Amino acid sequence: MSAKVLLIDDDSDFRAAVKSLLEGHGYTVLEASSGHEGLRMVLAHKPDVILLDVMMETSAEGYGVTHSLKFEDEYAAFRQIPVFMVSSIEESPDERFPMSADVDEIRPDRYLTKPLEVPEFLRLLERTVGAPHGAAA
Amino acid sequence: MEERPIKESARPEIVVVIDDEYPIRLSCEKILTKMGLRAETFEDGACGLDGVARLKPDMVIVDLKMPGISGMEVIGRVHEIDPLIVIIVVTGYATIDTAVEAMKCGGYDFLPKPFSPDELRLIVNRGLERRRLALEAARHELEQTMLKRRFVTFVSHQLRTPLVAIHQYLDVLRNLDETGDTEARRREWLDRCLARIEELQDLIKDWLTLARVEGGTLFKERIRIDLNCLVADILETYEQTAAAAQVSLEAHLPDNHLLVAGDRSCLSVLFDNLITNAIKYNKPGGKVTVSGSESRGEVVIAVADTGIGIAEKYRPFLFEEFFRVKEDGAGKTGGTGLGLHICKQIVSEMGGTIEVASEAGAGSTFTVRMAAWHDPEAEAGSKSDERQEANIDCG
C-alpha cells in the first residue's frame, strides 16, 4: 500500500496542485479544509505524514492541530505521525506566541515555506515515509 | 477620583522609602502597610537604590537631604531602573526652589516634613493611581504594536495566498510528465490561475480604496448627489452580471428624487459594493431590490437580496476588515473581506449609519441612513422645482 499523505489547508487550489503532484508520484492523498476536519481524518485514516497549513479560518489554526495531536488522549496513538507545517509567511511559533511557555510542545517536525519547492519536497517526503509504490516518475 | 479595587491575584503594590531618619521610616512603614501596600525602608541612597533594583517597586518615597548619595541623584537613578516608578520627594527644607528642582528631576510630588498620616495617604494614593494609568498606557501601546504587527502579517498572508496557489500550479505543471490527462488538467489549472490573479487584483483594488477612504483622499467634496440616478447607473452596469446569475434587479425609489450631500466616488463605491454583494450572495431566480425614502431630513436606502442570508453569530463582525463568512455557499464565493468594511468607513465619513438585517437562508437587507441634501438658498424657492430639475439631470 502506498504512503498516505494528509493535506490540511483551506486553499482548495493549493490542495489540488499538491494532491496532483503527490498522486503522480504514487502517494495516496487525503484532503481536509480545516483543522477540525484534519483531526477527524487523522482518527479515521491514520495518515503516514501530515502537511499542515498554519493560517486557515483562524490565524493559528495549524497550531491548534499540533496542540491536539500532542496533548489530547484521543490522538495518543497518532502522536508519532510526522507533521510538516506550511505557511506563506516565514514565522516561527516563538514569534507567534512570545509569552507561551509550552511553545516547544506545539512545534511541528518541520517548517516548509509555500509555495513548495517540488523536487526538494518530494525528496523530503521520500526520506520521511519511504519511496511510494508505483511511482510514476 | 474613585479608588480602583486591586485585583485579587495581583501582588500588593510596593513602596520603597529611603530616609535617614528612623522615626520617619517607621511611621511610613506602618501607614503604608495599613493601606495594604508592601513597604520596604532603607536608610541611605545606596541601599535604597539596591532595593529599588531588586524589588522593582511601584513608588519610591525619598528624602531629599541625606548623607551619601543625594535625593536628587536617587531620583535620576531610580528612573534609569524604571521610568514609570512614581517618586515622592520628602524634605524638611521645603523651599520653592528645591521643590521645583525635584520635579524637574522627575519627582511626581512633594511632601514637606513634618507630614500627617492623612497627607501621606493622600499623596501615595494619588501617586499610585498615576502609576496604574501609566502602566495601562504602556500596556495599551504594546497591544497596539502587537496588533499592528499581527495585521501586517495578516495582510501579507492574504496577498500571498493567491500567489502561492498560482505558483504551485505552475510549478507542478512544469514538473508533470507528458501523460494523457495533462492537457485537460493544464487548461483547468490555467483557468484557476487566472481566477486567483483576479482575486489578487480585487484585493489590491479594495485595499487601495480602503486606504483612500481612511486617509481621507477618496472623500473629495460634499456636493448634491441624486441617489436615484446613481443607483440607476449602478443597476444598469450590473444588468448582465445579474442576468448571468439569474437574479433580477429592481429599484423602488420615490418620484421625488433622493438627494444627499456627499462625494460621488464614495457613494458610488458604497452602493456598488452593496449591490454587487446582493447579486453575488443571491440564489438563481432571486431578486435584488433597492428601495429608498426620505423623511424628516433623513434619506434611507435599503439594498435587499433574497440570497443565502447571514447567520446571527456572524452579523456583529460583518463590517470588520477581512471578515468573511465561511459557511455553505458563502465560502465558495470569492471576496476580499474588505467590501463591507469600506462601506462602513464611507458611511461614517458622511455622518451616516449602515446596518444589516438578515434571516439565514432567506436574504439580507443593508440599510444606509444619511442626512438629506439641505440647500439654504433653495429654502426660499419652490422645493418641487428643484426636484423637477434633478429629475431632468438624471436622463
Side-chain angles (χ1 to χ4, degrees), chain B residues 72-294:
Chain B
M72 289 294 180
E73 204 182 330
V74 170
I75 294 176
R77 302 260 289 270
V78 165
H79 276 167
E80 278 171 28
I81 296 168
D82 176 358
L84 295 185
I85 293 177
V86 170
I87 300 178
I88 310 265
V89 176
V90 178
T91 185
Y93 309 91
T95 67
I96 299 283
D97 286 349
T98 43
V100 168
E101 179 69 16
M103 299 305 124
K104 262 193 204 156
C105 294
Y108 165 68
D109 210 341
F110 192 85
L111 196 57
K113 280 185 198 176
F115 49 82
S116 72
D118 278 344
E119 281 175 304
L120 178 69
R121 274 192 285 268
L122 187 73
I123 213 165
V124 166
N125 273 331
R126 231 173 24 214
L128 286 176
E129 184 58 33
R130 153 106 178 187
R131 160 87 172 167
R132 286 170 209 139
L133 289 175
L135 285 179
E136 201 171 290
R139 213 169 14 241
H140 184 70
E141 197 175 318
L142 179 72
E143 269 169 24
Q144 288 302 310
T145 315
M146 292 283 286
L147 263 180
K148 214 181 228 171
R149 225 197 58 192
R150 280 265 160 100
F151 194 65
V152 170
T153 307
F154 188 74
V155 172
S156 321
H157 178 263
Q158 294 297 101
L159 290 170
R160 268 194 195 166
T161 299
L163 272 183
V164 162
I166 296 161
H167 191 137
Q168 202 71 69
Y169 271 138
L170 295 180
D171 206 13
V172 171
L173 266 181
R174 204 183 50 182
N175 283 274
L176 272 185
D177 299 310
E178 296 298 325
T179 49
D181 65 336
T182 310
E183 185 51 33
R185 195 177 315 164
R186 197 179 62 87
R187 286 197 147 278
E188 187 197 327
W189 285 11
L190 287 179
D191 284 345
R192 288 303 307 156
C193 285
L194 289 173
R196 299 306 296 260
I197 288 171
E198 243 168 72
E199 175 193 334
L200 192 55
Q201 308 264 39
D202 286 347
L203 186 55
I204 293 168
K205 189 190 82 197
D206 279 0
W207 187 239
L208 278 174
T209 306
L210 182 60
R212 281 197 199 120
V213 173
E214 287 181 340
T217 53
L218 187 69
F219 201 108
K220 288 193 194 74
E221 51 187 359
R222 193 176 287 270
I223 54 167
R224 194 187 74 172
I225 304 285
D226 184 326
L227 287 183
N228 286 48
C229 300
L230 190 109
V231 167
D233 283 349
I234 296 172
L235 289 180
E236 199 185 323
T237 312
Y238 292 107
E239 230 163 56
Q240 303 241 327
T241 317
Q246 291 171 262
V247 171
S248 62
L249 304 176
E250 282 178 26
H252 299 301
L253 298 172
D255 293 335
N256 274 345
H257 282 205
L258 298 171
L259 304 173
V260 295
D263 180 89
R264 184 172 295 281
S265 17
C266 277
L267 286 165
S268 297
V269 169
L270 169 66
F271 288 107
D272 193 293
N273 277 343
L274 293 178
I275 290 167
T276 46
N277 273 352
I279 298 171
K280 199 159 76 177
Y281 299 106
N282 223 312
K283 294 173 188 155
K287 204 161 67 172
V288 174
T289 313
V290 183
S291 52
S293 64
E294 180 187 338

